[in-house]
Amino acid sequence: MTESSEYRAIYPDFAALLSYPEPGHQKLAEALVLRLREGSDETAEALEHFAEFLASSTVEEAREHYTRAFDLSPLAVPYLSVYLFGAENPQRGQFMAGFSGAYAEVGYDSGGELPDHLATVLGYAAVAPEDTWDEVQQLCLPSPLKLMRNSLREGENPYHLVLASLELFVKHVTAGALIHA
């Protein structure tokens, strides 16, 4: 496995943590912390705090935080195009159509979500052509991640910790600053 594919294999784990909480999310978070620590303690630290939150919460409590973060009157909408173009911009449709086409080319199923949903996009990393994924992680992730994280942190929602870790991971990967993952 190449270094790039090793890094890209981590994104679907972030996608799972940024999806509706299920039993087992705590173990997934803890395992991801260990993988991240191999490349960057800084990247692992924020996620470690999220794993601690999951350990001290019931699945129902985690679901409440998730719903407040991303679902009903969300603190942070999980759709990248909203942050890149604005909620009412027609370019959002073109952006989503581009993702839909890219997903179809590799047989990736968005699971019924809009194609620009953060978790859906992160799941795509594992199957995306390398040059396509490089563009996605450099152009489509940094600004939305920062804005989402800030909104969730201001709302005192623990999901800001996942976004902080992911934001650092993207920053380190695109800068070539991770040793290995």
Side-chain angles (χ1 to χ4, degrees):
M1 190 178 325
T2 67
E3 186 175 280
S4 174
S5 63
E6 286 180 41
Y7 296 145
R8 288 176 38 196
I10 289 176
Y11 285 107
D13 290 341
F14 275 113
L17 291 176
L18 290 166
S19 298
Y20 194 69
E22 298 294 338
H25 269 186
Q26 177 191 347
K27 290 191 185 317
L28 174 62
E30 291 168 351
L32 185 52
V33 165
L34 294 176
R35 288 179 73 190
L36 292 173
R37 196 165 303 288
E38 293 174 13
S40 165
D41 283 342
E42 178 186 33
T43 302
E45 189 175 318
L47 194 61
E48 189 169 31
H49 293 298
F50 183 73
E52 291 167 1
F53 155 74
L54 291 175
S56 66
S57 303
T58 65
V59 173
E60 290 75 24
E61 290 168 332
R63 288 174 175 167
E64 284 181 34
H65 284 284
Y66 177 87
T67 300
R68 276 189 251 139
F70 303 115
D71 270 351
L72 304 174
S73 299
L75 293 169
V77 295
Y79 303 106
L80 300 177
S81 64
V82 170
Y83 300 97
L84 295 170
F85 304 109
E88 301 300 321
N89 191 313
Q91 288 180 303
R92 285 188 67 209
Q94 294 171 324
F95 183 76
M96 288 189 277
F99 269 111
S100 290
Y103 296 167
E105 284 180 21
V106 296
Y108 178 68
D109 181 10
S110 65
E113 277 293 349
L114 290 175
D116 68 330
H117 188 283
L118 177 59
T120 301
V121 172
L122 295 175
Y124 172 63
V127 296
E130 190 167 342
D131 58 336
T132 301
W133 182 252
D134 286 347
E135 284 185 32
V136 169
Q137 72 181 356
Q138 290 176 19
L139 302 176
C140 301
L141 294 179
S143 178
L145 288 175
K146 181 180 181 177
L147 294 167
M148 283 187 248
R149 176 184 49 80
N150 287 340
S151 293
L152 293 178
R153 189 181 63 223
E154 288 171 14
E156 299 180 1
N157 188 292
Y159 276 87
H160 84 275
L161 298 165
V162 180
L163 293 173
S165 180
L166 176 58
E167 185 179 11
L168 286 167
F169 183 74
V170 170
K171 178 181 169 186
H172 289 313
V173 168
T174 57
L178 289 179
I179 299 165
H180 63 290

